[in-house]
């Protein structure tokens, strides 16, 4: 039976080719994803390990043992350095200072991102060099007015050795002389950030206080037990300091890298799973048709003594061999996927580190196992059908397909599944928070499964209606195409379902993304009346002096700072915005429904939004319990309730209430309103007022909305690309089904040609059948996707009140047109093959 399976595989190479391609593409996705994640993880670890090569112990402030009360508060300074340096086994102690330094590029914009603009000190060892930052050009900074940059940052600024570098830390623009260019393995820099290097005294002045360090990096002498050394360092220092071994730091960083790459790997594997799931329909369809065509052959095997188990085993072995061959080829293609994925993600701002491909045995074995298992499982039901072929069927005159079986049981199961899915999704719409996510996911899966099961039933009315339309302009070819599609509704449904799955997901994602984009576009549109928002390019916020300076600029009618502080009320996190309430209505529309904003002053009064008041049972005159994150409490009186506002938070307060609970008083942003007729050129005037400071970011309301929604389109385009793999596999399924259907109907096509059907009409018949299948899958997919997106959208409204479902009919029309094109293109080869059949040979085919 093994030889029989091998012979059948070799005998039907062409007919199995499309099935092999489906498995190949799916396993390529799986293997490529696994190899990619291993490679990226290895590249990150290599970067991290090089930066930890000489780290035996790391000492930082905070996170140490609980203080006994006898320990005097002490900063990490020279005293700690000398204490550690005196311990046996210590080779050297490198004091490190680190902070945020925004380096201006040629256009006075920051060269590094919000979290990637690092400033560090140059700490030379006995040889006068700092191994962390080997010099490429020039020398190390040695005075307050000097700076060194990494190679990438130097290239972005265009500065040359001896030239001037503009930068800012937490205040006005500073200009320093570029004296050196360094190389670094700092992962923040490799991820697209920037690195500025100063001498130690300057770094302390910029990022802390003189004599204080961010970290002490301890190197050990050869042969020293690093765990013991860590314990000795911990014992010698105050309890408020934390000492960690280099091995522990490496393990922690490795764990963080695994977590970061795991999310990427999981996302891509989900899409790979979708592709393989679509491939299941093609594999099952192919083997079902092959077995129907080999009915007489299988019956002869049964007649000469083959058992049912042997027949099943023969089909599964054939499927296993096919899966193994396709998976091996897919593994090779997966290497290409692993090379292209970093390029794709970096193009969308991922900034992944460079590194060689890492091919591990688990990735290879997983890809091969997945391909074989999926193929064998998909062929299991067809193999059971093969085993039920009776030996007496060997007496039949030809390989005719069996009589169609009843769909009553299948339709009943499909109806139940669809009803449960729809009911779950409708129940989801009653939730006002994300607690209904489980019901939404279960409902979506049940609905999609139910529609797939019901597809043979649903195909009949669609094909009949479509057939009537095509018959009007194509005559007999349209009628024959309709009859062919109706002849085996299971096959038509299975082929269309593969395309339906892809279009359901694409439609659902598109509707959700477009709706979210529209919601973001509406955010603040009716509430924000300011001309510009001024923010900091770093996460540190703006100094209060920025707002005061803006208010004094000519052409500015109002500059209103927004100062945010978190707190808890009744155990729930909340956010308070402190601002100048006498001027806030100049930059945003604020409708007060009860009370007066004029009463919000000092520490004893606040205003709340209507939704917050409803949620917490508040009204004008109520008391709002507030527990700030510094541990202190307040209980101001609610003196006003205002309509919900997208610009402001749920609680409005005076600065006097919030400022005492902030570690450092900073403004989150400043809203600027220009005087009438003075808005033109105001952005440049604001930037000029601060000397082109890279910390100062000036954005218009339109730019704010574009920035908020800008992340949606790249994600959607990436999803299109990933789901496109499933659609490609579905197209292969249509081609495969049509090709095998043509082979199955060879004799019938010969008879049609004999009674006068022209080659052109044969081609048109096959094309119309292909278009019917593709359009049926497209209509089901689009309809199901819209319904799932509508139901799931209700869960977003709790955290995103502006969300309102928008159906992008133009894009939906494009999807349907693409499905039409798929139907036409998929039929090209099968239609040509059918038209080229020899009339006499076809009639005599058995």
């Amino acid at each position: 039976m093994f030889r029989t399976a091998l012979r059948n595989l070799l005998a039907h190479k062409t007919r199995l080719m499309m099935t092999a391609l489906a498995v190949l593409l799916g396993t390529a996705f799986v293997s490529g994803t696994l190899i990619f994640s291993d490679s990226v993880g290895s590249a990150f670890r290599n970067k991290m390990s090089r930066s930890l090569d000489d780290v035996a112990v790391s000492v930082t402030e905070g996170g140490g043992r609980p203080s006994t009360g006898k320990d005097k508060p002490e900063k990490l300074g020279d005293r700690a350095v000398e204490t550690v340096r005196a311990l046996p086994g210590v080779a050297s102690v490198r004091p490190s200072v680190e902070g945020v330094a925004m380096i201006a590029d040629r256009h006075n914009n920051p060269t590094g991102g919000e979290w990637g603009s690092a400033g560090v000190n140059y700490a030379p060892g006995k040889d006068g060099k700092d191994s962390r930052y080997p010099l490429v050009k020039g020398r190390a900074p040695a005075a307050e007015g000097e700076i060194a940059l990494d190679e990438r940052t130097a290239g972005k600024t265009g500065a040359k050795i001896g030239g001037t570098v503009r930068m800012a830390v937490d205040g006005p623009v500073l200009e320093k002389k570029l004296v050196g260019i360094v190389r670094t393995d700092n992962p923040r820099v490799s991820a697209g950030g920037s690195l500025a290097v100063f001498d130690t005294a300057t770094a302390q002045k910029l990022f802390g206080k003189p004599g204080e360090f961010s970290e002490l990096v301890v190197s050990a002498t050869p042969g020293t037990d690093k765990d013991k050394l860590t314990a000795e360092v911990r014992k010698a220092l105050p309890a408020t300091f934390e000492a960690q071994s280099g091995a522990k730091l490496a393990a922690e960083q490795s764990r963080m890298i695994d977590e970061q790459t795991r999310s990427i790997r999981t996302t891509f594997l989900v899409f790979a799973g979708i592709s393989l799931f679509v491939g299941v329909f093609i594999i099952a369809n192919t083997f079902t048709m092959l077995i129907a065509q080999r009915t007489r052959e299988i019956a002869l095997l049964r007649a000469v003594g083959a058992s049912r188990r042997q027949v099943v085993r023969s089909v599964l072995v054939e499927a296993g061999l096919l899966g193994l061959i396709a998976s091996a080829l897919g593994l090779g293609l997966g290497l290409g996927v692993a090379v292209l994925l970093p390029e794709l993600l970096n193009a969308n701002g991922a900034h992944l580190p460079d590194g060689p491909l890492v091919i591990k045995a688990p990735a290879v074995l997983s890809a091969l196992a997945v391909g074989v298992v999926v193929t064998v499982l998909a062929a299991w039901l067809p193999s059971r059908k093969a085993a039920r072929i009776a030996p007496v069927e060997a007496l039949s005159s030809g390989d005719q397909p069996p009589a169609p079986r009843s769909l009553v049981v299948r339709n009943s199961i499909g109806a139940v599944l669809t009803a449960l899915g729809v009911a779950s999704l409708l129940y989801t719409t009653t939730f006002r928070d994300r607690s209904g996510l489980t019901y939404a996911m279960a409902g979506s899966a049940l609905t999609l499964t139910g529609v797939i099961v019901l597809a043979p039933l649903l195909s009949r009315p669609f094909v009949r209606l479509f057939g009537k339309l095509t018959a009007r302009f194509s005559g007999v070819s349209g009628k024959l195409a309709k009859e062919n599609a109706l002849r085996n509704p299971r096959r038509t449904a299975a082929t269309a379902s593969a395309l339906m799955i892809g279009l359901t997901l694409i439609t659902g994602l598109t509707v959700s993304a477009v709706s979210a984009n529209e919601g973001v576009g509406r955010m603040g549109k009716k509430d924000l009346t300011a001309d510009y928002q001024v923010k900091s390019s770093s996460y540190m916020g703006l100094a209060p002096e920025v707002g005061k300076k803006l208010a004094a600029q000519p052409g500015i009618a109002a500059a209103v700072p927004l100062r945010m502080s978190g707190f808890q009320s009744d155990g729930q996190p909340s956010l308070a915005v402190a601002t100048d309430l006498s001027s806030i209505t100049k930059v945003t529309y604020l409708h007060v429904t009860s009370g007066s904003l004029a009463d919000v002053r000092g520490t004893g009064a606040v205003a709340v939004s209507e939704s917050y008041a409803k949620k917490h049972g508040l009204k004008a005159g109520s008391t709002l319990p507030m527990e700030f994150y510094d541990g202190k409490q307040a209980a101001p009186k609610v003196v006003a309730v205002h309509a919900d506002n997208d610009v402001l938070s749920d609680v409005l307060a005076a600065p006097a209430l919030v400022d005492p609970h902030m570690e450092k008083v900073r403004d989150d942003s400043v809203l600027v309103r220009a005087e009438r007729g003075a808005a033109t050129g105001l952005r440049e005037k604001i930037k000029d007022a601060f000397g082109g400071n890279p910390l100062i970011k000036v954005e218009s309301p339109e730019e704010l909305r574009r920035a908020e929604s800008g992340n949606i389109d790249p994600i959607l385009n990436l999803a299109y690309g990933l789901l496109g793999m499933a659609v490609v596999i579905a197209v292969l399924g249509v081609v495969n089904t049509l090709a095998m259907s043509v082979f199955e109907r060879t004799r019938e096509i010969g008879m049609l040609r004999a009674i006068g059907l022209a080659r052109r009409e044969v081609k048109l018949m096959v094309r119309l059948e292909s278009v019917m299948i593709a359009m049926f899958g497209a209509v089901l997919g689009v309809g199901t996707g819209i319904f799932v997106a509508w139901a799931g959208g209700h869960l977003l409204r709790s955290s995103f009140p502006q969300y309102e479902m928008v159906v992008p009919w133009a894009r939906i029309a494009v999807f349907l047109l693409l499905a039409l094109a798929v139907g036409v293109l998929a039929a090209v080869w099968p239609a040509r093959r059918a038209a080229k059949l020899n009339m006499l040979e076809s009639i005599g085919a058995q």
Side-chain angles (χ1 to χ4, degrees):
M1 294 304 290
F2 177 80
R3 288 197 299 271
T4 301
L6 186 60
R7 180 187 62 79
N8 286 331
L9 184 66
L10 295 174
H12 302 104
K13 294 188 293 293
T14 304
R15 279 179 272 172
L16 289 170
M17 182 176 63
M18 297 299 177
T19 304
L21 278 174
V23 180
L24 184 151
L25 291 174
T27 52
F29 217 156
V30 172
S31 61
T33 298
L34 294 176
I35 293 171
F36 158 77
S37 59
D38 289 338
S39 301
V40 170
S42 175
F44 270 120
R45 287 188 188 89
N46 288 338
K47 292 279 186 183
M48 292 290 189
S49 64
R50 284 198 292 269
S51 65
L52 293 172
D53 276 345
D54 61 343
V55 180
V57 185
S58 169
V59 181
T60 56
E61 288 184 13
R65 305 186 309 276
S67 175
T68 61
K70 298 178 182 179
D71 298 309
K72 295 180 180 180
E74 186 177 331
K75 292 295 183 180
L76 197 61
D78 293 330
R79 181 178 175 182
V81 172
E82 295 306 320
T83 300
V84 175
R85 187 173 285 154
L87 294 174
V90 173
S92 66
V93 179
R94 185 176 65 218
S96 176
V97 182
E98 186 169 348
V100 176
M102 288 286 175
I103 308 299
D105 63 12
R106 296 177 177 88
H107 307 289
N108 290 325
N109 295 317
T111 56
E114 183 173 321
W115 298 94
S117 300
V120 298
N121 69 314
Y122 192 89
K126 294 178 181 179
D127 59 356
K129 299 178 181 179
D130 190 333
S131 59
R132 298 173 300 171
Y133 311 114
L135 285 162
V136 178
K137 288 182 181 179
R139 60 175 176 82
E144 184 175 351
E146 297 178 344
I147 189 173
L149 300 176
D150 69 278
E151 294 173 288
R152 289 187 181 181
T153 304
K156 292 176 183 177
T157 62
K160 306 296 182 183
I161 299 293
T164 301
V165 175
R166 293 167 55 79
M167 58 159 290
V169 173
D170 187 19
V173 173
L174 302 174
E175 293 188 350
K176 297 190 179 291
K177 180 182 178 181
L178 181 64
V179 297
I181 296 176
V182 302
R183 188 169 56 250
T184 178
D185 291 320
N186 189 315
R188 290 166 66 179
V189 177
S190 63
S194 63
L195 180 72
V197 184
F198 309 91
D199 66 282
T200 299
T202 301
Q204 289 175 328
K205 182 178 179 181
L206 291 173
F207 307 129
K209 293 180 180 179
E212 294 182 5
F213 304 106
S214 308
E215 179 187 18
L216 303 183
V217 177
V218 183
S219 298
T221 56
T224 301
D225 187 320
K226 295 180 180 179
D227 289 332
K228 281 187 177 180
L229 180 59
T230 303
E232 291 297 323
V233 170
R234 192 177 291 128
K235 188 187 300 183
L237 293 176
T240 51
F241 293 163
E242 180 179 20
Q244 285 185 296
S245 68
K248 185 177 179 181
L249 282 175
E252 179 65 20
Q253 289 178 350
S254 181
R255 183 189 63 80
M256 292 172 62
I257 291 168
D258 287 337
E259 289 180 356
Q260 291 169 355
T261 56
R262 186 182 299 120
S263 60
I264 300 175
R265 181 171 65 245
T266 301
T267 300
F268 281 105
L269 285 177
V270 166
F271 285 100
I274 293 169
S275 298
L276 287 169
F277 182 59
V278 170
V280 166
F281 290 88
I282 299 171
I283 299 166
N285 218 15
T286 300
F287 276 93
T288 298
M289 297 172 73
L290 283 175
I291 287 165
Q293 293 167 14
R294 287 171 10 209
T295 298
R296 191 178 183 188
E297 175 189 326
I298 295 171
L300 281 170
L301 288 173
R302 295 278 287 114
V304 298
S307 67
R308 291 189 174 187
R309 183 174 296 178
Q310 287 177 309
V311 172
V312 170
R313 195 180 302 153
S314 172
V315 175
L316 294 183
V317 167
E318 184 179 346
L321 289 173
L322 176 68
L324 184 61
I325 295 170
S327 299
L329 295 173
L331 181 61
L333 183 60
L335 294 175
V337 173
V339 172
L340 291 175
L341 276 180
E343 300 294 332
L344 177 65
L345 293 174
N346 285 335
N348 286 278
H351 300 295
L352 299 174
D354 298 328
L357 280 182
V358 176
I359 305 174
K360 295 183 179 179
V364 175
L365 296 176
S366 298
L368 294 175
V370 165
V372 173
V373 169
V374 166
T375 310
V376 170
L377 287 177
W380 184 76
L381 282 177
S383 73
R384 302 288 295 176
K385 293 178 184 177
R388 289 197 292 268
I389 296 175
V392 71
E393 294 189 42
L395 301 176
S396 62
S397 60
D399 291 340
Q400 298 298 324
R405 293 181 290 115
S406 171
L407 291 170
V408 173
V409 175
R410 176 169 178 158
N411 292 341
S412 301
I413 295 173
V416 171
L417 291 174
T418 305
L420 288 173
V422 171
S424 297
L425 288 175
L426 291 176
Y427 180 57
T428 299
T429 63
T430 64
F431 286 85
R432 293 294 176 263
D433 54 37
R434 296 188 180 183
S435 59
L437 182 61
T438 302
Y439 293 99
M441 295 175 64
S444 300
L446 285 171
T447 302
L448 185 58
T449 305
V451 172
I452 291 171
V453 176
L454 280 177
L457 176 66
L458 299 173
S459 68
R460 293 182 181 276
F462 180 88
V463 170
R464 287 196 175 97
L465 176 62
F466 198 89
K468 287 182 179 180
L469 296 174
T470 56
R472 289 187 177 182
F473 66 86
S474 60
V476 68
S477 294
K479 292 179 181 179
L480 289 171
K482 180 189 72 173
E483 294 302 322
N484 290 336
L486 289 172
R487 181 182 303 180
N488 193 331
R490 293 174 186 270
R491 180 189 304 170
T492 299
T495 307
S497 293
L499 186 60
M500 183 202 78
I501 295 167
L503 280 176
T504 295
L505 296 172
I506 288 174
T507 302
L509 284 173
T510 300
V511 172
S512 300
V514 170
S515 300
N517 226 341
E518 290 291 324
V520 170
R522 286 191 293 270
M523 286 178 63
K525 193 171 184 178
K526 62 182 179 62
D527 296 323
L528 186 63
T529 58
D531 294 298
Y532 290 101
Q533 174 185 264
V534 179
K535 291 192 72 171
S536 171
S537 297
S538 76
Y539 58 86
M540 296 183 295
L542 297 170
E545 290 74 24
V546 172
K548 296 175 182 177
K549 189 171 183 177
L550 285 170
Q553 294 299 311
I556 293 180
V560 183
L562 301 181
R563 192 170 300 165
M564 298 188 179
S565 177
F567 68 94
Q568 286 199 339
S569 182
D570 299 328
Q572 296 184 12
S574 304
L575 188 67
V577 169
T579 186
D580 179 3
L581 293 169
S582 63
S583 303
I584 189 65
T585 53
K586 296 178 182 178
V587 292
T588 182
Y589 177 74
L590 192 61
H591 175 62
V592 178
T593 56
S594 64
S596 172
L597 287 179
D599 296 330
V600 182
R601 52 179 178 267
T603 61
V606 294
V608 298
S609 67
E610 286 181 326
S611 60
Y612 191 83
K614 183 178 180 181
K615 183 178 180 180
H616 291 266
L618 301 172
K619 60 182 179 179
S622 300
T623 298
L624 175 64
M626 303 175 72
E627 182 178 349
F628 291 91
Y629 292 118
D630 62 355
K632 298 178 181 178
Q633 297 181 348
K637 183 179 179 181
V638 176
V639 296
V641 178
H642 62 84
D644 290 354
N645 184 293
D646 293 334
V647 177
L648 306 172
S649 72
D650 292 320
V651 177
L652 284 177
L657 175 63
V658 169
D659 289 357
H661 307 287
M662 301 180 72
E663 185 176 349
K664 191 174 185 180
V665 177
R666 312 289 290 176
D667 290 328
D668 181 73
S669 62
V670 179
L671 300 180
V672 176
R673 180 74 179 270
E675 293 178 350
R676 181 173 295 182
T680 304
L682 183 59
R683 181 203 303 271
E684 289 70 24
K685 292 177 183 177
I686 293 174
K687 293 286 286 185
D688 291 342
F690 294 95
N693 194 322
L695 280 173
I696 303 298
K697 183 191 297 185
V698 185
E699 296 176 299
S700 67
E702 183 59 34
E703 288 170 330
L704 288 172
R705 287 189 288 272
R706 200 182 309 129
E708 290 292 332
S709 62
N711 293 329
I712 297 175
D713 287 337
I715 293 173
L716 183 61
N717 292 333
L718 181 61
Y720 282 161
L722 297 175
L723 288 173
M725 183 73 74
V727 175
V728 169
I729 293 175
V731 173
L732 294 177
V734 178
V735 176
N736 205 22
T737 298
L738 291 173
M740 298 187 74
S741 179
V742 168
F743 178 84
E744 186 180 84
R745 302 202 305 264
T746 298
R747 192 173 188 181
E748 175 188 319
I749 292 172
M751 292 294 293
L752 290 171
R753 292 277 289 114
I755 60 175
L757 196 67
R759 292 181 186 272
R760 177 178 54 81
E761 292 174 309
V762 171
K763 286 184 180 180
L764 184 58
M765 174 187 71
V766 176
R767 286 171 184 159
L768 288 176
E769 181 181 357
S770 176
V771 169
M772 285 181 190
I773 293 172
M775 292 304 295
F776 173 57
V779 170
L780 274 187
V782 167
T784 307
I786 291 175
F787 176 66
V788 169
W790 169 78
H794 286 75
L795 299 179
L796 292 174
R797 290 199 179 98
S798 59
S799 57
F800 188 11
Q802 295 81 10
Y803 182 90
E804 185 176 339
M805 179 172 163
V806 176
V807 179
W809 293 112
R811 294 198 191 189
I812 298 298
V814 171
F815 296 159
L816 294 175
L817 287 175
L818 288 175
L820 180 64
V822 163
V824 173
L825 294 175
V828 170
W829 178 59
R832 287 174 60 85
R833 186 171 181 272
K836 287 182 177 181
L837 289 174
N838 184 281
M839 189 187 310
L840 295 178
E841 290 179 359
S842 300
I843 294 173
Q846 293 295 320

